[in-house]
Every structure is written in C-alpha cells, then in structure tokens.
Amino acid sequence: QQQQQQEQQQPKEQQPKETEAAPKPATMPNPRVAIVFYSMYHHVFDMAKVIAESLEENGIDVDLYQVPETLPDSVLEKMYAAPKPDVPIATPDILESADGIVFGIPTRYGMAAAQMKAFMDSTGGLWQKQALAGKPAAIFFSTGTQNGGQETTALTFVTQLTHHGMIYVPLGYAASEAFDLSEPHGGSPYGAGTLAGADGSRKPSDIEKRMAVKQGEVFANVVKKLARD
C-alpha cells in the first residue's frame, strides 16, 4: 500500500503543449491594370479585350475604360460610328489608382485621336503632383493602312507618358509574329496593333491577336516586378 501511495504521489509526466500553427503570410492582392482606350469602330476595343484576357491569365486584375467622346451624335452618325461599348467612362483618378496603364489608341494622321488627347489634357492635376510618376504604361493602336501610324502613333504619345514621369514598356520583338511576313498585319516594337482598312471593314487578324496576347504577358511581368518592389 505504501508503494501504491508513493506511486500516486509522484507527479504525472506533463503532456507536451500543442504548438500554435505559425500564422500564414498575408496574400498580396493582384496588381491592377487599367486599359484606357478610344474606339470608334471597335477595332481598338476588340484588341483591348484580347490584352485584358492575357493580363488576367498572367495574374493581373484588369479594368476596362473608354475615354469620353468629344464629337456630337450627329457627327458620329455621319461617320457611321459603331455604338459605344458597355464600358465605364475613364476619369483621371482611375489612372492614379492603377498599378499600370495600357492605352489603346486609334490613329488620326499618324498620331493619337483627339478624344484620347483631350482625355490626357484633363490630367493636369495628376501631372502637377506627379501622381503617375514611376507607373508602367504600354500602348497599342489601330490604323487604317499598313503604314498609317503603327509606329508614329506610339512615338508621338510617348511625350504624354514622359511628362507624367511614367515608364514606357514597349513590346519589342517579344512576339515572334513581328517577323511574320506571310501577310500584312499591324503591330510593331512599340506595341500590338491592327489594320482596320480604309473603310474600317477589316477586323483584327489572328497574327495581330497573338501579338496582343504577348503584349499582355510582357506588360504583366513588368507590373508584377514593380509591384513586388
């Protein structure tokens, strides 16, 4: 009995405490890119949708915006303009909130359409405080003809990005389709592009869409690298 009492008086082995699980690191939200475009006949809009899908496939959240129209309905009707896409109207503040911006620009005589230029003219408040400085930006475009501004549209728009202190991200020759001479197509080292035809009847080709996909991939990689920093 004494032996049993001694055994009962001996302290029981302490059970090891359960270790608390280490807190999981907070997941960073996806970077967000705004695609800001003007599209009278939907050529640029069609390309914007391709780039948006490519960005999303590469881990980017995307918002599509169209810049405000400056022409009256009576003029648009005479120009046989397509109905406006169901896309929100861009305001300067959406540029400030985005991690990166892709501009979709139809060409007018080798440079950006007046609607896009008017929108950029409204960003003076952002310029004054350099709210867009350091943000990556890319450009894609639509022209009526093969030599109608597939390079100059981007070149003349780079001045807008420069004054805002933005980082221009060209497509370069990342898309192998840039070397494809089997058929006329848009696109250049400055960005993806499409040929609309003089009457606007031509739609983006498979080659042009593949270049747009590659541009989305290239831009996504840059945005993600900058977002991590």
Short mmCIF file of all heavy atoms in Angstrom, two decimals, residues 87-136:
data_model
loop_
_atom_site.label_atom_id
_atom_site.label_comp_id
_atom_site.label_asym_id
_atom_site.label_seq_id
_atom_site.Cartn_x
_atom_site.Cartn_y
_atom_site.Cartn_z
N VAL A 87 -18.81 49.97 -71.44
CA VAL A 87 -17.58 50.08 -70.65
C VAL A 87 -17.61 51.42 -69.92
O VAL A 87 -18.02 52.42 -70.50
CB VAL A 87 -16.33 49.99 -71.56
CG1 VAL A 87 -15.06 50.30 -70.79
CG2 VAL A 87 -16.24 48.63 -72.21
N PRO A 88 -17.19 51.47 -68.66
CA PRO A 88 -17.21 52.74 -67.92
C PRO A 88 -16.37 53.82 -68.59
O PRO A 88 -15.40 53.53 -69.30
CB PRO A 88 -16.63 52.36 -66.55
CG PRO A 88 -16.79 50.89 -66.45
CD PRO A 88 -16.71 50.35 -67.83
N ILE A 89 -16.76 55.06 -68.34
CA ILE A 89 -16.02 56.20 -68.87
C ILE A 89 -14.83 56.49 -67.96
O ILE A 89 -14.94 56.52 -66.73
CB ILE A 89 -16.93 57.45 -68.96
CG1 ILE A 89 -18.13 57.16 -69.87
CG2 ILE A 89 -16.15 58.65 -69.47
CD1 ILE A 89 -17.77 56.85 -71.31
N ALA A 90 -13.69 56.72 -68.58
CA ALA A 90 -12.46 56.98 -67.83
C ALA A 90 -12.46 58.38 -67.23
O ALA A 90 -12.95 59.33 -67.84
CB ALA A 90 -11.25 56.82 -68.75
N THR A 91 -11.92 58.48 -66.03
CA THR A 91 -11.67 59.76 -65.37
C THR A 91 -10.22 59.76 -64.90
O THR A 91 -9.62 58.69 -64.71
CB THR A 91 -12.61 59.96 -64.16
OG1 THR A 91 -12.46 58.84 -63.27
CG2 THR A 91 -14.07 60.06 -64.60
N PRO A 92 -9.62 60.92 -64.72
CA PRO A 92 -8.20 60.95 -64.33
C PRO A 92 -7.88 60.15 -63.07
O PRO A 92 -6.79 59.57 -62.96
CB PRO A 92 -7.94 62.45 -64.12
CG PRO A 92 -8.88 63.12 -65.05
CD PRO A 92 -10.13 62.28 -65.01
N ASP A 93 -8.81 60.09 -62.12
CA ASP A 93 -8.50 59.41 -60.86
C ASP A 93 -8.25 57.92 -61.02
O ASP A 93 -7.54 57.31 -60.21
CB ASP A 93 -9.61 59.65 -59.83
CG ASP A 93 -10.94 59.12 -60.30
OD1 ASP A 93 -11.52 59.72 -61.21
OD2 ASP A 93 -11.42 58.10 -59.75
N ILE A 94 -8.82 57.30 -62.08
CA ILE A 94 -8.60 55.86 -62.26
C ILE A 94 -7.14 55.58 -62.66
O ILE A 94 -6.64 54.48 -62.41
CB ILE A 94 -9.59 55.25 -63.27
CG1 ILE A 94 -9.43 55.87 -64.66
CG2 ILE A 94 -11.01 55.41 -62.79
CD1 ILE A 94 -8.66 55.01 -65.61
N LEU A 95 -6.49 56.56 -63.25
CA LEU A 95 -5.09 56.39 -63.60
C LEU A 95 -4.23 56.33 -62.34
O LEU A 95 -3.30 55.55 -62.23
CB LEU A 95 -4.60 57.53 -64.49
CG LEU A 95 -5.36 57.77 -65.80
CD1 LEU A 95 -4.71 58.92 -66.57
CD2 LEU A 95 -5.38 56.52 -66.66
N GLU A 96 -4.58 57.16 -61.38
CA GLU A 96 -3.80 57.23 -60.14
C GLU A 96 -3.93 55.95 -59.33
O GLU A 96 -2.97 55.52 -58.67
CB GLU A 96 -4.25 58.43 -59.31
CG GLU A 96 -3.40 58.70 -58.10
CD GLU A 96 -3.76 59.99 -57.40
OE1 GLU A 96 -4.75 60.64 -57.81
OE2 GLU A 96 -3.05 60.35 -56.44
N SER A 97 -5.08 55.32 -59.36
CA SER A 97 -5.30 54.13 -58.54
C SER A 97 -4.76 52.85 -59.18
O SER A 97 -4.65 51.83 -58.50
CB SER A 97 -6.79 53.98 -58.26
OG SER A 97 -7.52 53.78 -59.46
N ALA A 98 -4.42 52.88 -60.45
CA ALA A 98 -3.95 51.68 -61.14
C ALA A 98 -2.46 51.46 -60.90
O ALA A 98 -1.70 52.40 -60.70
CB ALA A 98 -4.22 51.78 -62.63
N ASP A 99 -2.06 50.19 -60.92
CA ASP A 99 -0.63 49.86 -60.82
C ASP A 99 0.08 49.98 -62.17
O ASP A 99 1.30 50.06 -62.22
CB ASP A 99 -0.46 48.44 -60.28
CG ASP A 99 -0.99 48.30 -58.86
OD1 ASP A 99 -0.54 49.06 -57.99
OD2 ASP A 99 -1.87 47.44 -58.63
N GLY A 100 -0.68 49.96 -63.22
CA GLY A 100 -0.14 50.11 -64.56
C GLY A 100 -1.28 50.49 -65.50
O GLY A 100 -2.45 50.24 -65.21
N ILE A 101 -0.93 51.11 -66.63
CA ILE A 101 -1.95 51.59 -67.57
C ILE A 101 -1.56 51.19 -68.98
O ILE A 101 -0.41 51.37 -69.40
CB ILE A 101 -2.11 53.11 -67.49
CG1 ILE A 101 -2.37 53.56 -66.04
CG2 ILE A 101 -3.24 53.60 -68.38
CD1 ILE A 101 -2.10 55.02 -65.78
N VAL A 102 -2.53 50.65 -69.71
CA VAL A 102 -2.35 50.34 -71.13
C VAL A 102 -3.30 51.24 -71.91
O VAL A 102 -4.51 51.24 -71.66
CB VAL A 102 -2.65 48.86 -71.43
CG1 VAL A 102 -2.41 48.57 -72.91
CG2 VAL A 102 -1.79 47.94 -70.57
N PHE A 103 -2.74 51.99 -72.84
CA PHE A 103 -3.53 52.93 -73.63
C PHE A 103 -3.81 52.33 -75.00
O PHE A 103 -2.88 51.91 -75.70
CB PHE A 103 -2.80 54.26 -73.79
CG PHE A 103 -2.64 55.04 -72.52
CD1 PHE A 103 -1.47 54.94 -71.77
CD2 PHE A 103 -3.65 55.86 -72.05
CE1 PHE A 103 -1.31 55.65 -70.59
CE2 PHE A 103 -3.50 56.58 -70.86
CZ PHE A 103 -2.33 56.48 -70.14
N GLY A 104 -5.08 52.29 -75.39
CA GLY A 104 -5.48 51.83 -76.71
C GLY A 104 -5.90 53.02 -77.56
O GLY A 104 -6.86 53.72 -77.23
N ILE A 105 -5.19 53.22 -78.67
CA ILE A 105 -5.33 54.49 -79.40
C ILE A 105 -5.55 54.25 -80.89
O ILE A 105 -4.69 53.66 -81.56
CB ILE A 105 -4.06 55.34 -79.22
CG1 ILE A 105 -3.68 55.44 -77.74
CG2 ILE A 105 -4.26 56.72 -79.82
CD1 ILE A 105 -2.34 56.08 -77.51
N PRO A 106 -6.65 54.72 -81.44
CA PRO A 106 -6.78 54.73 -82.90
C PRO A 106 -6.00 55.91 -83.48
O PRO A 106 -5.86 56.94 -82.82
CB PRO A 106 -8.28 54.89 -83.12
CG PRO A 106 -8.76 55.63 -81.91
CD PRO A 106 -7.86 55.21 -80.78
N THR A 107 -5.50 55.74 -84.67
CA THR A 107 -4.66 56.76 -85.28
C THR A 107 -5.48 57.77 -86.07
O THR A 107 -6.44 57.41 -86.75
CB THR A 107 -3.65 56.09 -86.23
OG1 THR A 107 -2.79 55.25 -85.47
CG2 THR A 107 -2.80 57.11 -86.95
N ARG A 108 -5.09 59.00 -85.94
CA ARG A 108 -5.59 60.06 -86.81
C ARG A 108 -4.39 60.78 -87.39
O ARG A 108 -3.69 61.50 -86.69
CB ARG A 108 -6.48 61.04 -86.02
CG ARG A 108 -7.71 60.41 -85.36
CD ARG A 108 -8.73 59.94 -86.40
NE ARG A 108 -9.94 59.44 -85.74
CZ ARG A 108 -10.16 58.18 -85.40
NH1 ARG A 108 -9.21 57.27 -85.65
NH2 ARG A 108 -11.28 57.81 -84.82
N TYR A 109 -4.13 60.51 -88.67
CA TYR A 109 -2.99 61.12 -89.36
C TYR A 109 -1.67 60.85 -88.64
O TYR A 109 -0.83 61.73 -88.48
CB TYR A 109 -3.22 62.62 -89.55
CG TYR A 109 -4.51 62.93 -90.29
CD1 TYR A 109 -5.58 63.52 -89.62
CD2 TYR A 109 -4.66 62.59 -91.63
CE1 TYR A 109 -6.77 63.77 -90.28
CE2 TYR A 109 -5.84 62.83 -92.30
CZ TYR A 109 -6.90 63.42 -91.62
OH TYR A 109 -8.07 63.66 -92.29
N GLY A 110 -1.51 59.62 -88.19
CA GLY A 110 -0.23 59.20 -87.63
C GLY A 110 -0.03 59.52 -86.16
O GLY A 110 1.05 59.32 -85.63
N MET A 111 -1.07 59.99 -85.49
CA MET A 111 -0.94 60.26 -84.07
C MET A 111 -2.27 59.98 -83.37
O MET A 111 -3.24 59.57 -84.00
CB MET A 111 -0.47 61.70 -83.82
CG MET A 111 -1.36 62.75 -84.41
SD MET A 111 -0.57 64.38 -84.56
CE MET A 111 0.44 64.48 -83.12
N ALA A 112 -2.31 60.18 -82.05
CA ALA A 112 -3.48 59.79 -81.26
C ALA A 112 -4.71 60.58 -81.67
O ALA A 112 -4.65 61.76 -82.02
CB ALA A 112 -3.20 60.01 -79.78
N ALA A 113 -5.86 59.90 -81.62
CA ALA A 113 -7.13 60.56 -81.89
C ALA A 113 -7.36 61.68 -80.89
O ALA A 113 -6.89 61.63 -79.75
CB ALA A 113 -8.27 59.54 -81.80
N ALA A 114 -8.10 62.69 -81.32
CA ALA A 114 -8.33 63.86 -80.48
C ALA A 114 -9.01 63.50 -79.16
O ALA A 114 -8.77 64.15 -78.14
CB ALA A 114 -9.17 64.89 -81.25
N GLN A 115 -9.85 62.47 -79.17
CA GLN A 115 -10.54 62.08 -77.94
C GLN A 115 -9.55 61.64 -76.87
O GLN A 115 -9.70 61.97 -75.69
CB GLN A 115 -11.55 60.97 -78.23
CG GLN A 115 -12.76 61.41 -79.05
CD GLN A 115 -12.51 61.40 -80.54
OE1 GLN A 115 -11.36 61.31 -81.00
NE2 GLN A 115 -13.57 61.47 -81.33
N MET A 116 -8.55 60.88 -77.28
CA MET A 116 -7.53 60.44 -76.32
C MET A 116 -6.68 61.63 -75.87
O MET A 116 -6.34 61.75 -74.69
CB MET A 116 -6.65 59.36 -76.95
CG MET A 116 -5.57 58.81 -76.03
SD MET A 116 -6.20 58.03 -74.51
CE MET A 116 -6.82 56.49 -75.19
N LYS A 117 -6.36 62.50 -76.79
CA LYS A 117 -5.56 63.68 -76.42
C LYS A 117 -6.35 64.57 -75.47
O LYS A 117 -5.79 65.12 -74.50
CB LYS A 117 -5.18 64.45 -77.69
CG LYS A 117 -4.30 65.66 -77.43
CD LYS A 117 -2.97 65.28 -76.81
CE LYS A 117 -1.99 66.44 -76.80
NZ LYS A 117 -2.44 67.58 -76.01
N ALA A 118 -7.66 64.72 -75.71
CA ALA A 118 -8.48 65.54 -74.81
C ALA A 118 -8.50 64.95 -73.40
O ALA A 118 -8.46 65.69 -72.41
CB ALA A 118 -9.90 65.67 -75.37
N PHE A 119 -8.56 63.63 -73.34
CA PHE A 119 -8.54 62.98 -72.02
C PHE A 119 -7.22 63.26 -71.31
O PHE A 119 -7.20 63.59 -70.12
CB PHE A 119 -8.76 61.48 -72.16
CG PHE A 119 -8.60 60.73 -70.86
CD1 PHE A 119 -9.56 60.83 -69.87
CD2 PHE A 119 -7.49 59.94 -70.63
CE1 PHE A 119 -9.41 60.15 -68.66
CE2 PHE A 119 -7.33 59.27 -69.43
CZ PHE A 119 -8.30 59.37 -68.45
N MET A 120 -6.13 63.11 -72.03
CA MET A 120 -4.83 63.36 -71.41
C MET A 120 -4.69 64.82 -71.00
O MET A 120 -4.04 65.14 -70.00
CB MET A 120 -3.70 62.95 -72.36
CG MET A 120 -3.64 61.46 -72.65
SD MET A 120 -3.49 60.43 -71.17
CE MET A 120 -1.87 60.89 -70.57
N ASP A 121 -5.31 65.72 -71.76
CA ASP A 121 -5.27 67.14 -71.39
C ASP A 121 -5.98 67.39 -70.06
O ASP A 121 -5.74 68.41 -69.40
CB ASP A 121 -5.91 68.00 -72.48
CG ASP A 121 -5.03 68.11 -73.72
OD1 ASP A 121 -3.85 67.72 -73.65
OD2 ASP A 121 -5.53 68.60 -74.76
N SER A 122 -6.85 66.47 -69.66
CA SER A 122 -7.59 66.64 -68.41
C SER A 122 -6.82 66.12 -67.20
O SER A 122 -7.33 66.18 -66.08
CB SER A 122 -8.95 65.92 -68.50
OG SER A 122 -8.78 64.51 -68.44
N THR A 123 -5.62 65.61 -67.42
CA THR A 123 -4.85 65.02 -66.32
C THR A 123 -3.82 65.98 -65.74
O THR A 123 -2.87 65.56 -65.09
CB THR A 123 -4.12 63.74 -66.79
OG1 THR A 123 -3.17 64.08 -67.83
CG2 THR A 123 -5.12 62.72 -67.34
N GLY A 124 -4.03 67.28 -65.94
CA GLY A 124 -3.07 68.26 -65.44
C GLY A 124 -2.88 68.20 -63.94
O GLY A 124 -1.77 68.43 -63.43
N GLY A 125 -3.95 67.91 -63.20
CA GLY A 125 -3.82 67.80 -61.74
C GLY A 125 -2.90 66.67 -61.34
O GLY A 125 -2.11 66.80 -60.38
N LEU A 126 -2.97 65.56 -62.07
CA LEU A 126 -2.07 64.44 -61.78
C LEU A 126 -0.63 64.80 -62.14
O LEU A 126 0.31 64.43 -61.43
CB LEU A 126 -2.51 63.20 -62.58
CG LEU A 126 -3.91 62.65 -62.30
CD1 LEU A 126 -4.19 61.46 -63.20
CD2 LEU A 126 -4.06 62.28 -60.84
N TRP A 127 -0.48 65.52 -63.25
CA TRP A 127 0.87 65.93 -63.66
C TRP A 127 1.49 66.86 -62.63
O TRP A 127 2.67 66.74 -62.28
CB TRP A 127 0.80 66.63 -65.02
CG TRP A 127 2.03 67.41 -65.34
CD1 TRP A 127 3.22 66.92 -65.80
CD2 TRP A 127 2.21 68.83 -65.19
NE1 TRP A 127 4.13 67.94 -65.96
CE2 TRP A 127 3.53 69.13 -65.59
CE3 TRP A 127 1.38 69.86 -64.78
CZ2 TRP A 127 4.03 70.43 -65.57
CZ3 TRP A 127 1.87 71.15 -64.77
CH2 TRP A 127 3.19 71.42 -65.15
N GLN A 128 0.68 67.78 -62.10
CA GLN A 128 1.21 68.78 -61.17
C GLN A 128 1.79 68.13 -59.93
O GLN A 128 2.81 68.57 -59.40
CB GLN A 128 0.12 69.77 -60.80
CG GLN A 128 0.62 71.00 -60.07
CD GLN A 128 -0.45 72.06 -59.93
OE1 GLN A 128 -1.64 71.75 -59.84
NE2 GLN A 128 -0.05 73.32 -59.91
N LYS A 129 1.15 67.07 -59.45
CA LYS A 129 1.68 66.38 -58.27
C LYS A 129 2.45 65.12 -58.62
O LYS A 129 2.81 64.35 -57.72
CB LYS A 129 0.54 66.07 -57.29
CG LYS A 129 -0.55 65.16 -57.83
CD LYS A 129 -1.66 64.95 -56.79
CE LYS A 129 -2.74 64.02 -57.31
NZ LYS A 129 -3.81 63.78 -56.31
N GLN A 130 2.67 64.89 -59.91
CA GLN A 130 3.42 63.72 -60.39
C GLN A 130 2.86 62.42 -59.82
O GLN A 130 3.61 61.52 -59.40
CB GLN A 130 4.90 63.88 -60.09
CG GLN A 130 5.63 64.84 -61.01
CD GLN A 130 5.69 64.34 -62.46
OE1 GLN A 130 6.50 63.49 -62.79
NE2 GLN A 130 4.84 64.89 -63.33
N ALA A 131 1.55 62.31 -59.85
CA ALA A 131 0.87 61.14 -59.28
C ALA A 131 1.10 59.88 -60.09
O ALA A 131 0.94 58.77 -59.57
CB ALA A 131 -0.63 61.41 -59.16
N LEU A 132 1.48 60.03 -61.36
CA LEU A 132 1.68 58.86 -62.21
C LEU A 132 3.15 58.51 -62.38
O LEU A 132 3.48 57.56 -63.10
CB LEU A 132 1.05 59.10 -63.59
CG LEU A 132 -0.43 59.49 -63.60
CD1 LEU A 132 -0.93 59.62 -65.04
CD2 LEU A 132 -1.27 58.48 -62.83
N ALA A 133 4.02 59.26 -61.74
CA ALA A 133 5.46 59.03 -61.90
C ALA A 133 5.82 57.62 -61.43
O ALA A 133 5.41 57.19 -60.36
CB ALA A 133 6.25 60.06 -61.11
N GLY A 134 6.56 56.92 -62.26
CA GLY A 134 7.01 55.58 -61.93
C GLY A 134 6.04 54.48 -62.30
O GLY A 134 6.37 53.30 -62.17
N LYS A 135 4.85 54.83 -62.76
CA LYS A 135 3.89 53.79 -63.17
C LYS A 135 4.24 53.29 -64.57
O LYS A 135 4.54 54.08 -65.46
CB LYS A 135 2.46 54.35 -63.19
CG LYS A 135 1.84 54.58 -61.83
CD LYS A 135 0.39 55.02 -61.98
CE LYS A 135 -0.21 55.42 -60.64
NZ LYS A 135 -0.47 54.26 -59.78
N PRO A 136 4.19 51.97 -64.79
CA PRO A 136 4.43 51.44 -66.13
C PRO A 136 3.25 51.71 -67.05
O PRO A 136 2.09 51.71 -66.61
CB PRO A 136 4.63 49.95 -65.89
CG PRO A 136 3.86 49.67 -64.64
CD PRO A 136 3.97 50.90 -63.80
#
